[in-house]
Amino acid sequence: DGWWDWSDNARLAWEVMESGHGDSRWAMQFDFNVDAGGSGGIGVNFAADPAWADAAGISFFWRADPPGLPVTFALAVQDPTQPDAGPSDAAPFEVTVQTGGQDWTQVTIPWAKLVKAEWFGDAGADTFDPANVIWLAFSVGTWDQPEQGVIWIDDIRLVPAG
């Protein structure tokens, strides 16, 4: 469906840039300046795919300036009992990871590492089911202090099981 963003006391800019990892020519560049108490991020919606259940997790490559930025990666699960619910009704399951530095680094996230976001409450699916994932997102902002930086993201793909 295309990429989207959100912000709360944050200034964001993102675009596909000619600076990809390995054989990839293009990467998503995500620039941000987040005030203390703020947050923001980018994400993309897509149709659920039962084939995701055959994977063991998801991986991507990224680099960042500065290094060591906490980033929350989320995959949102549509409740199978509510097939007409929209993307905002999907329950996010997330994990926080720290960026590496200027060199491209691979991040692999097994499904078991994803935990339902506390802020989402009791709504939506309670169990992570990769076959019902309908969006992914990267978000920044620790609430404790301001954050500023650039993250490049490339080669998002499923990790084969086994």
Side-chain angles (χ1 to χ4, degrees):
D1 285 4
W3 287 83
W4 41 263
D5 64 62
W6 78 95
S7 63
D8 177 16
N9 293 318
R11 283 138 323 276
L12 310 175
W14 52 274
E15 62 183 313
V16 176
M17 300 291 292
E18 193 168 354
S19 63
H21 165 262
D23 293 337
S24 175
R25 191 167 159 204
W26 304 94
M28 178 68 73
Q29 180 177 322
F30 175 34
D31 297 79
F32 58 91
N33 187 339
V34 182
D35 297 335
S39 65
I42 58 173
V44 63
N45 296 347
F46 44 85
D49 184 346
W52 278 48
D54 296 331
I58 194 164
S59 73
F60 52 88
F61 281 84
W62 68 357
R63 62 188 182 98
D65 181 27
L69 297 167
V71 176
T72 300
F73 175 79
L75 293 171
V77 173
Q78 184 175 33
D79 187 339
T81 66
Q82 300 177 6
D84 295 329
S88 63
D89 299 313
F93 288 76
E94 57 189 26
V95 62
T96 300
V97 289
Q98 295 228 345
T99 61
Q102 295 281 338
D103 294 329
W104 287 103
T105 304
Q106 185 175 22
V107 175
T108 300
I109 300 171
W111 298 144
K113 293 284 186 188
L114 296 164
V115 177
K116 187 174 179 181
E118 283 186 33
W119 57 264
F120 198 73
D122 293 332
D126 289 323
T127 305
F128 181 78
D129 179 357
N132 291 318
V133 170
I134 62 169
W135 58 256
L136 69 78
F138 295 87
S139 61
V140 293
T142 64
W143 298 97
D144 298 331
Q145 61 190 18
E147 288 184 346
Q148 181 175 334
V150 182
I151 301 170
W152 293 265
I153 303 163
D154 199 8
D155 290 335
I156 301 170
R157 61 185 67 210
L158 296 175
V159 176

